[in-house]
């Protein structure tokens, strides 16, 4: 199937963005990878239950029942939790989606919300009917935006990542490279990254894009103002980082760029 384009307007600015829809082939492959990972984890869990100390009491019928119940609860949580939490905290990606270079976003172009992730993934139960994901495959193949039932209900679409086709570095990228900044210097987990809003990203990206061109005295004052707004949100993460506020803001920019620039 030919890959199709979809145009969305992002509120509140109503900026028009174009995305390439992910078709049945790439989505199915990502799904196979994800379920293979889940299956491996479930097998490991089962082996741990069988060969761990729990086998001391499963000789009794009641013990066997508890072991089975425990395994079923954990696997059920894994089946849904894997997709829900990875898609939310990893900006619409699972391991399979990341390998196939696709991701889930809201129809308005924004990152998937936690509620949308819950809705679309709990409806996998219906998309899997009657067997082999048949309902989901038929929906993806026939819908003009390649949506399965979960996407229709949650208001999401699955798109290909937008690759940077230019090999030329921007002035900001050259500036960051000159300062020898590496994103890994600032350790921020996904939970703390979620504290930053789209408004924070726009403020930070505007500041960073201006850095290479503004004078030192203006840069110092502007950096102080931006740092006072943004850095308190990650105060514990930057406490031990021996970098200037400007450097820390640039490192934060590198983290948020992956989350929001898309």
């Amino acid at each position: 199937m030919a890959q199709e384009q979809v145009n969305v307007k992002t509120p509140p600015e109503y900026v028009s963005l174009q995305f390439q829809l992910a078709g049945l082939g790439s989505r199915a492959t990502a799904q196979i990878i994800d379920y293979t990972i889940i299956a491996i984890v479930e097998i490991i869990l089962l082996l741990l239950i069988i060969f761990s100390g729990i086998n001391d009491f499963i000789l009794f019928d009641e013990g066997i029942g508890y072991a089975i119940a425990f395994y079923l609860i954990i696997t059920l949580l894994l089946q849904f939790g894997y997709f829900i939490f990875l898609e939310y905290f990893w900006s619409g990606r699972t391991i399979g989606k990341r390998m196939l270079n696709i991701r889930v976003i809201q129809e308005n172009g924004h990152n998937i919300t936690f509620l949308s992730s819950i809705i679309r993934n709990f409806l996998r139960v219906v998309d899997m009917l009657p067997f082999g994901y048949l309902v989901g495959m038929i929906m993806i193949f026939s819908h003009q935006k390649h949506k399965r039932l979960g996407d229709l209900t949650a208001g999401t679409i699955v798109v290909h990542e937008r690759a940077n086709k230019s090999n030329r570095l921007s002035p900001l990228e050259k500036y960051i490279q000159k300062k020898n900044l590496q994103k890994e210097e600032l350790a921020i987990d996904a939970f703390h990254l979620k504290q930053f809003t789209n408004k924070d990203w726009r403020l930070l990206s505007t500041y960073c894009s201006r850095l290479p061109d503004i004078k030192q005295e203006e840069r110092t004052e502007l950096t102080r103002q931006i740092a006072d707004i943004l850095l308190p949100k990650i105060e514990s993460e930057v406490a031990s980082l021996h970098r200037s506020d400007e450097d820390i803001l640039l490192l934060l920019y590198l983290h948020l760029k992956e989350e929001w620039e898309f």
Side-chain angles (χ1 to χ4, degrees), residues 1-158:
M1 181 183 293
Q3 292 175 335
E4 300 172 77
Q5 306 287 331
V6 61
N7 290 294
V8 299
K9 290 186 179 293
T10 60
E13 304 88 351
Y14 292 100
V15 176
S16 181
L17 299 175
Q18 188 177 73
F19 298 99
Q20 189 177 64
L21 291 167
L24 180 59
S26 56
R27 293 182 65 171
T29 305
Q31 192 91 311
I32 291 170
I33 294 171
D34 287 325
Y35 276 111
T36 300
I37 292 170
I38 291 172
I40 291 171
V41 173
E42 289 176 347
I43 291 170
I44 292 173
L45 176 63
L46 181 61
L47 292 175
L48 287 174
I49 291 174
I50 292 173
F51 293 108
S52 68
I54 201 170
N55 61 11
D56 292 335
F57 68 89
I58 63 173
L59 296 174
F60 304 97
D61 291 340
E62 186 177 354
I64 295 174
Y66 284 138
I68 293 174
F70 173 76
Y71 178 74
L72 290 177
I73 291 171
I74 295 300
T75 53
L76 183 63
L77 291 174
L78 182 62
Q79 287 280 341
F80 291 105
Y82 172 89
F83 292 98
I84 292 171
F85 288 99
L86 277 185
E87 285 183 357
Y88 177 66
F89 287 111
W90 215 1
S91 302
R93 308 179 190 92
T94 59
I95 295 174
K97 288 183 178 69
R98 193 178 188 96
M99 291 176 67
L100 271 292
N101 212 31
I102 60 177
R103 71 193 296 175
V104 187
I105 60 172
Q106 298 292 137
E107 274 197 300
N108 61 10
H110 286 181
N111 285 331
I112 188 171
T113 65
F114 190 59
L115 178 60
S116 293
S117 183
I118 291 174
I119 293 171
R120 79 182 301 273
N121 285 300
F122 269 109
L123 281 170
R124 285 181 185 276
V125 176
V126 181
D127 285 312
M128 289 177 179
L129 296 175
F131 58 86
Y133 236 97
L134 184 59
V135 171
M137 289 192 294
I138 292 173
M139 288 289 297
I140 293 170
F141 186 80
S142 59
H143 194 276
Q144 61 177 355
K145 291 185 179 179
H146 304 325
K147 285 171 170 272
R148 62 177 176 84
L149 184 61
D151 293 312
L152 284 171
T153 310
T156 56
I157 53 177
V158 182

